[in-house]
């Protein structure tokens, strides 16, 4: 299936639920359709490009005056198996949480802590999605896609993807150049549970102990208690990254604010909880018109209905400034701003 439209509404393609139009929009379900389309639409090289997955990490501040490419490739298929692992190739257009559910149902371990993260499979490696002590990069064998520069299909080994905290080669050297069409995951048959984050272990024990579906149920319950469902209230998960700062500054802040959560982030570096910093500045539950800050998690900005991208953006800038003024820490957005 292919779809090509002009002045296409992206409202149902971004989890903030913002009204924004794409000048051109191309959606495809077969990887082979992309080069044929581009060859027949030579103007694409002059236009700004947006590679759109599930739209769970975007803020449309205005319309997008360029070409949106949406790889909606379906399918989950087993491509290899050995004593310890199973390899699954999954189309970029598959819903992320549906795929996690499939793995849990089949007892394929590794990504159960990543339950209920919004978005599609194709975006998972780009953002290196993570939650509750697990990052998806650790379970990615290969990323397959199309390189718009060389005009060829291309495969990148997980070990070459430069996975780091909410970061990968696809956000850097290969930005706006590599269209992910499928991802091969290597999952564990002998599951090593990772339950040390927050109250996850207690929630799993409550349900009956270390079993893959109890882990999924616990993660879902924790997320549902803290994070708004984008189907009901527009949002893009954490709006900012947790800032990684120099140890010296962290020590100074910790002596001033002993309750501040700190996490070790390698040699001489400390990671802070952006949600805590924002919360301390009094933003939790704030609302101005339909733009607001979630009442259970200050790191999540929400659209209560009719907020514009501009309004969410303005609110985000005010939050960033107040954290800078109070703590001297710069917050970096996790969401991408489009159309500004
Ligand atoms: N906190 C507050 N007030 C708040 C929010 C948080 O005091 O309003 C404190 C919490 O009490 C806790 C600390 O800040 O001590 C961290 O909070 P939490 O465990 O909720 O996690 P987070 O650091 O805010 C990160 C990810 C989430 C992921 C959770 C669980 C980032 C930017 N966010 O949030 O990912 O689900 O950990 O692993 O790394 C996402 O990326 O969209 C996302 C939701």
């Amino acid at each position: 299936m292919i779809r090509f439209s002009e002045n296409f509404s992206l409202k149902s393609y971004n989890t903030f639920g913002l009204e924004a139009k794409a000048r051109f929009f191309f959606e495809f379900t077969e990887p082979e359709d992309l080069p044929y389309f581009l060859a027949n639409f030579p103007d694409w090289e002059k236009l700004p490009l947006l590679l759109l997955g599930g739209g769970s990490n975007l803020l449309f501040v205005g319309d997008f005056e360029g070409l949106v490419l949406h790889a909606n490739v379906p399918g989950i298929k087993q491509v290899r198996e050995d004593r310890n692992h199973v390899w699954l190739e999954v189309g970029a257009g598959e819903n992320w949480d549906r795929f996690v559910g499939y793995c849990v149902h089949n007892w394929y371990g590794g990504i159960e802590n990543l339950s209920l993260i919004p978005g599609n499979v194709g975006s998972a490696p780009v953002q290196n999605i993570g939650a509750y002590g697990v990052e998806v990069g650790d379970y990615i064998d290969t990323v397959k896609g199309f390189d718009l520069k060389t005009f060829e299909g291309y495969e990148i080994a997980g070990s070459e993807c430069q996975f780091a905290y909410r970061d990968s080669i696809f956000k850097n050297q290969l930005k706006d150049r590599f269209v992910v069409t499928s991802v091969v995951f290597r999952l564990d048959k002998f599951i090593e549970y990772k339950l040390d984050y927050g109250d996850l272990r207690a929630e799993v024990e409550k349900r009956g102990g270390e079993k893959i579906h109890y882990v999924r149920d616990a993660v879902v319950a924790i997320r549902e208690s803290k994070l708004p469902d984008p189907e009901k209230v527009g949002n893009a998960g954490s709006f900012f990254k947790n800032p990684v700062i120099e140890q010296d500054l962290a020590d100074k802040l910790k002596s001033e604010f002993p309750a501040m959560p700190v996490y070790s982030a390698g040699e001489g570096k400390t990671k802070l909880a952006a949600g805590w910093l924002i919360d301390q500045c009094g933003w939790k539950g704030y609302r101005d018109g339909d733009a607001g800050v979630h009442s259970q998690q200050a790191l999540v900005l929400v659209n209560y209905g009719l907020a514009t991208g501009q309004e969410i953006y303005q609110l985000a800038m005010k939050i960033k400034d107040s954290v800078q003024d109070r703590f001297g820490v710069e917050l970096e957005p996790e969401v991408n701003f489009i159309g500004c």
Side-chain angles (χ1 to χ4, degrees), residues 16-267:
F16 259 121
L18 295 165
E19 184 51 86
K21 289 206 160 41
R23 179 73 190 88
F24 301 103
F25 178 88
F26 180 66
E27 175 177 355
F28 59 99
T29 53
E30 305 289 330
E32 298 75 29
D33 288 328
L34 179 59
Y36 283 104
F37 164 72
L38 295 173
N40 286 290
F41 185 69
D43 278 357
W44 76 271
E45 290 199 80
K46 293 183 235 141
L47 292 167
L49 277 183
L50 173 63
L51 311 181
L52 178 71
S56 58
N57 208 36
L58 296 176
L59 179 73
F60 285 108
V61 184
D63 289 338
F64 184 67
E65 299 297 334
L67 170 65
V68 173
L69 295 177
H70 180 56
N72 200 9
V73 178
I76 301 177
K77 62 174 187 264
Q78 185 173 318
V79 288
R80 200 176 144 197
E81 184 174 14
D82 69 13
R83 195 168 167 275
N84 300 320
H85 299 110
V86 59
W87 283 257
L88 300 178
E89 179 168 357
V90 188
E94 286 291 334
N95 173 270
W96 173 259
D97 188 55
R98 214 181 69 89
F99 168 55
V100 177
Y102 174 90
C103 292
V104 168
H105 181 75
N106 289 290
W107 293 77
Y108 300 150
I111 58 172
E112 56 281 357
N113 291 28
L114 306 182
S115 290
L116 213 63
I117 294 183
N120 290 352
V121 166
S123 312
V126 179
Q127 177 71 359
N128 189 17
I129 56 173
Y132 308 104
V134 172
E135 283 186 343
V136 76
D138 292 335
Y139 296 92
I140 289 180
D141 179 84
T142 314
V143 179
K144 298 188 181 184
F146 187 78
D147 186 337
L148 295 167
K149 197 160 177 192
T150 60
F151 228 69
E152 277 174 352
Y154 192 47
E155 291 187 17
I156 307 180
S159 56
E160 307 282 305
C161 290
Q162 298 170 16
F163 289 125
Y165 170 59
R166 297 295 193 276
D167 202 19
S168 73
I169 194 168
F170 308 105
K171 287 175 94 174
N172 297 291
Q173 289 102 303
L174 295 182
K175 187 173 161 55
D176 292 337
R177 168 173 166 184
F178 190 80
V179 183
V180 176
T181 52
S182 66
V183 181
V184 180
F185 296 87
R186 196 199 64 199
L187 300 152
D188 300 332
K189 289 187 181 171
F190 298 96
I191 306 170
E192 248 181 64
Y193 295 101
K194 299 208 173 72
L195 305 177
D196 291 335
Y197 188 99
D199 42 9
L200 181 56
R201 185 177 299 280
E203 287 293 322
V204 171
E205 292 303 331
K206 246 198 251 170
R207 287 168 172 77
E210 292 196 355
K211 288 215 172 56
I212 191 165
H213 46 284
Y214 294 150
V215 176
R216 176 166 165 81
D217 290 351
V219 168
V220 167
I222 296 169
R223 286 188 76 95
E224 282 179 340
S225 73
K226 286 193 181 170
L227 299 168
D229 176 357
E231 296 284 329
K232 299 188 183 123
V233 181
N235 77 92
S238 301
F239 196 93
F240 297 98
K241 291 186 194 178
N242 283 333
V244 177
I245 63 168
E246 297 297 328
Q247 186 76 51
D248 294 352
L249 175 58
D251 291 346
K252 196 171 140 273
L253 286 170
K254 187 78 185 164
S255 63
E256 213 178 316
F257 305 99
M260 181 179 78
V262 287
Y263 314 96
S264 165
E267 195 69 358

